Amino acid sequence: MTLTPSTDVVTHAVRGKVLLVTIDHAPVNALSADVRRGLAAAIDAADADPSVEAVLIVGAGRNFIAGADIREFGKPPVPPSLPDVCNRIEACTKPVVAAIHGAALGGGLEVALAAHYRIALDGAKLGLPEVQLGLLPGAGGTQRTPRLIGAAAALDLILSGRHASAQEALALGLVDRVGSSDDLLAEGLAYTQELLAAHAPVRRTRDAAALADRAANLAAVVAARADTAKKSRGLFSPLKIVDAVEAAIEQPFDEGLRLERKLFLDCLDSPQRAGLIHAFFAEREVLKAPETRSAKPRALGAIGVVGGGTMGAGIAVAVLDAGLPVTMIERDDESLARGRAHIEKVYDGLIAKGRLSAARKAAVMARWSGSTSYDALTDADLVIEAVFEDLAVKQAVFAELDRVCKQGAVLATNTSYLDIDAIASSISRPADVIGLHFFSPANIMKLLEVVVPKQVSADVVATAFELAKTLRKTPVRAGVCDGFIGNRVLAVYRSAADAMMEDGASPYQIDAAVRAFGFPMGPFQVVDLAGGDIGWATRKRRAATRNPAARYVQISDRLCERGWFGQKTGCGFYLYPEGSRSGTADPEVEAIIDAERERAGITPRAFTDEEIVRRYMAAMINEGANVVHEGIALRPLDVDVTFLYGYGFPRYRGGPMKYADMVGLPRILADIREFAKEDPLFWQASPLLVDLVERGADFASLNQTV
Ligand code: 3HC
Ligand code: NAI
């Protein structure tokens, strides 16, 4: 056997009558230019070599092919294009077999579909996830998939971007066989030889017949179009996907390919693609905090949770769901029973929806234990404190943890705002103390701010990142300050929203403008959902230290004084008649706002939705820049991920800092300077923003790996 490199990353070797083509392009065999060239050359070699009767394509490492090389998007194209390579594979005069293990995603599946036969191993993941990157399958996927498995199944795969297992792929007809072992080469070669022995012909997907029933397939397109128009709020690529699949039914293959190419390029040019691909890389970059490289995580077995309220219970569910045991500590038996009940309520909800069995719940709850004595935590590897937001109460809890926990236990606090350095330095082992700021509901929200105090040891930080992985959370490393990354920035754009409200915009207009930007909720809906009393307590706590010269809008206080805390009290900024969760505008709130404007001597003015968004975003971006400038966030992308995963920032805009880059930093700075004419104390441009604009640089230039 001789190994011939088509390129460094694709080799081919003759194995009897089979040309074995191996893609070896770490980490995931993405289809970079070299891989595309190598594949085309390998097919040329197969056609040219009379001793070769069939071709087998495999991927080295853990995957077949993860897709097009996402890092190439937005750069000048390098030939050959992936559609050309797929067409070249399909046109091969000898049977081509793809043997799939691991990921065959996007362009990876498109390569497999261009082959004439497909075998997948157990554990394979097949899918067309381009929609999640703001794209559509651009190398024949929208044309070959429906021809192979019908429009309905193809639309489901392409619009959801989900991964199908090998078994499902077999049932759908995406693959012809599932291997019976995990020996990729043996399975692939045996299948290819079997095909040769049976004189299996070249069988091109472009000629497959699943679209023969035109009416039924068109009906699937009509249904998908209606559904997509409803669900894909603001997204560009999903309706293009439907158009492309419709073309597969209505047009000859080559015409359909041409339309697919055009639509793909339209998607590639869209800012949504840039935002979504930024999010893809950013959510991987946040995992690479310096301590994850310099230190090994400590063991994570038994977990303790102190406090069984909203957060303690949610955190306990997240931990139980990950398969770990939880010991919960509460103040007294009654509170402990409430804590347990909070947890059971989550599982009972799943049972009611048919998503969990009673037996499964019992098995999960068997890993839970509760106590009113800290001594139950002596074996815990990591304890998360989630008691009242009060420094003295928390320090008392940490004193107990210091007393009972074994050496090496990680001691974490879920505080939202408090000084974790002050908690750490109050006990004898400050190096073991860290912030783990979960978001509510903690079993659902993906964000975990890992708050790193001064004295913490690197392996404790590494352990926090490991915990995030175990809990399937997205960790972002943050420094200690009031509110860390997320809540600190939130406080500032909330102030900007309050100021607009007092100056003349109604909370309903502000919420609608923010929703139109892409957030699921506006700021006042968020207050009503979280409970107005939470922010009120914080404002009261800070009243003494607030800068008396800073503008302070009192409207929220007026509502809270009336006991209007939002959804839980039936009214807040909105009315929630009979426990309804979608609020309606409240004329009484508008009257209160009018009275407050009068009290403050403000003549209300009109705001356009565009101005509302400009102010809201400028406040968010400016404070995001401050957070990076002060080293609270490692990079702008850490701010982006915080907002994508914790605050409902629309993913297709990439996060506030990416959005700022796309708008252009000079424009953002000009806005801030304009707004500063009215309130120079609030609108102080971040030194980092000023510096970047002066240097003609952007936030992305600060996103390199740390
Ligand atoms: N292009 C470039 N780099 C990629 C990549 C791709 N398609 N897919 C993954 N990578 C990189 C990641 O950024 C990461 O890099 P890093 O180590 O520098 O951070 C590395 O490969 C490993 O990735 P993961 O950490 O995600 O590894 P996992 O083992 O957890 O997951 C995977 C592997 C399931 C393949 C996952 O990486 C994935 O889902 N990748 C994206 C798949 C995708 O969206 N494909 C469609 C691309 S668009 C397309 O094909 C267009 C076509 O239709 C024309
Ligand atoms: P909560 O009031 O719902 O629960 C607090 C629980 O702690 C109560 O059950 C109480 O009985 C218990 N507790 C109080 N002192 C205790 C002690 N000494 N020992 C044992 N248990 C004790 O409060 P919530 O909302 O769960 O908040 C807890 C912490 O989480 C706070 O620090 C808060 O800032 C933080 N947080 C809250 C978020 C939210 O949205 N509610 C989001 C993120 C963090």
Side-chain angles (χ1 to χ4, degrees), residues 26-32 62-63 65-73 82-83 103-110 125 127-130 132-133 135-141 163 261 264 277 280-281 284-285 287-288:
V28 292
N29 297 335
L31 292 155
S32 319
R62 288 172 37 217
N63 300 294
I65 302 170
D69 184 346
I70 300 173
R71 289 178 206 274
E72 285 183 355
F73 294 153
L82 190 56
L105 298 175
L109 183 55
E110 290 173 301
K125 294 187 282 196
L128 293 163
E130 286 87 344
Q132 287 159 5
L133 303 174
L135 294 169
L136 48 80
H163 300 170
R261 191 71 195 152
F264 179 78
I277 286 182
F280 176 89
F281 285 119
R284 285 165 174 74
E285 280 305 310
L287 306 176
K288 301 172 187 164

Side-chain angles (χ1 to χ4, degrees), residues 332-664:
D332 47 45
D333 289 334
E334 200 183 310
S335 309
L336 187 60
R338 231 185 359 253
R340 184 184 167 113
H342 283 319
I343 297 175
E344 293 207 41
K345 199 171 152 200
V346 173
Y347 291 120
D348 289 340
L350 293 178
I351 292 175
K353 286 186 200 140
R355 285 167 48 195
L356 186 79
S357 68
R360 184 84 199 107
K361 175 191 161 190
V364 172
M365 286 310 292
R367 288 199 303 275
W368 181 90
S369 61
S371 177
T372 54
S373 161
Y374 281 86
D375 294 328
L377 292 179
T378 48
D379 290 333
D381 296 307
L382 181 144
V383 180
I384 304 163
E385 165 279 310
V387 303
F388 300 137
E389 185 75 344
D390 180 298
L391 187 59
V393 174
K394 291 199 190 278
Q395 282 176 331
V397 169
F398 271 76
E400 286 297 293
L401 298 178
D402 197 8
R403 182 178 66 77
V404 301
C405 289
K406 67 183 181 192
Q407 282 308 309
V410 173
L411 309 180
T413 172
N414 180 49
T415 180
S416 306
Y417 295 98
L418 298 175
D419 181 355
I420 303 177
D421 286 319
I423 297 174
S425 58
S426 71
I427 65 168
S428 74
R429 32 174 141 169
D432 294 331
V433 176
I434 193 161
L436 287 177
H437 185 218
F438 289 82
F439 286 68
S440 182
N443 55 314
I444 304 227
M445 294 292 287
K446 287 281 169 224
L447 181 63
L448 179 62
E449 276 182 303
V450 174
V451 191
V452 177
K454 281 195 203 77
Q455 300 186 62
V456 71
S457 75
D459 63 344
V460 169
V461 181
T463 310
F465 276 80
E466 191 62 24
L467 178 76
K469 194 167 160 196
T470 309
L471 304 188
R472 289 199 229 103
K473 302 282 181 207
T474 299
V476 172
R477 188 188 188 284
V480 175
C481 69
D482 194 347
F484 319 129
I485 299 176
N487 283 346
R488 172 169 160 179
V489 175
L490 164 73
V492 175
Y493 67 79
R494 257 303 308 272
S495 293
D498 282 347
M500 287 190 276
M501 175 165 62
E502 197 175 52
D503 285 341
S506 86
Y508 314 117
Q509 186 196 358
I510 295 171
D511 280 350
V514 166
R515 280 198 308 273
F517 179 81
F519 281 90
M521 279 190 265
F524 300 104
Q525 290 175 290
V526 172
V527 172
D528 275 6
L529 178 69
D533 49 328
I534 295 185
W536 195 29
T538 311
R539 291 196 297 279
K540 283 194 269 194
R541 198 170 56 236
R542 290 182 180 160
T545 52
R546 196 163 36 233
N547 179 353
R551 179 171 181 182
Y552 181 74
V553 175
Q554 300 181 25
I555 296 167
S556 297
D557 294 347
R558 294 296 92 80
L559 302 192
C560 290
E561 285 156 10
R562 288 168 169 78
W564 296 358
F565 296 148
Q567 290 192 15
K568 63 185 171 191
T569 56
C571 61
F573 282 97
Y574 294 78
L575 279 174
Y576 302 90
E578 281 139 36
S580 116
R581 295 182 67 181
S582 57
T584 53
D586 183 354
E588 277 193 72
V589 168
E590 290 180 308
I592 293 170
I593 295 171
D594 279 341
E596 279 301 303
R597 287 174 185 150
E598 216 169 297
R599 189 193 53 73
I602 290 167
T603 310
R605 71 173 178 89
F607 283 78
T608 62
D609 290 357
E610 195 230 340
E611 185 182 0
I612 288 171
V613 168
R614 275 170 92 144
R615 284 174 182 261
Y616 199 71
M617 289 310 303
M620 194 183 299
I621 292 159
N622 197 47
E623 195 61 7
N626 282 331
V627 155
V628 175
H629 184 60
E630 292 170 25
I632 298 297
L634 289 175
R635 301 147 294 192
L637 69 81
D638 296 83
V639 179
D640 285 337
V641 173
T642 302
F643 278 84
L644 293 176
Y645 282 90
Y647 297 82
F649 196 94
R651 189 176 168 88
Y652 63 81
R653 294 190 191 271
M657 313 315 267
K658 176 68 182 176
Y659 172 76
D661 276 353
M662 290 200 279
V663 169

Side-chain angles (χ1 to χ4, degrees), residues 18-23 39 43 54-59 64-65 89 94-101 103-104 107-121 124 126 148 174-179 184-185 187-189 191-192 195 203 205:
V18 179
L19 187 73
L20 172 65
V21 180
T22 307
I23 302 159
L39 275 172
I43 299 296
V55 181
L56 172 63
I57 305 177
V58 298
F64 178 63
I65 302 170
I89 293 170
K94 300 166 184 178
V96 181
V97 179
I100 298 166
H101 76 303
L109 183 55
E110 290 173 301
V111 165
L113 294 178
H116 306 139
Y117 297 91
R118 285 158 292 280
I119 175 171
L121 298 196
L126 298 89
L148 198 58
L174 264 186
V175 300
D176 304 289
R177 176 174 292 195
V178 174
L184 178 71
L185 265 194
E187 292 286 340
L189 283 169
Y191 181 46
T192 311
L195 288 167
R203 186 192 62 172
T205 308

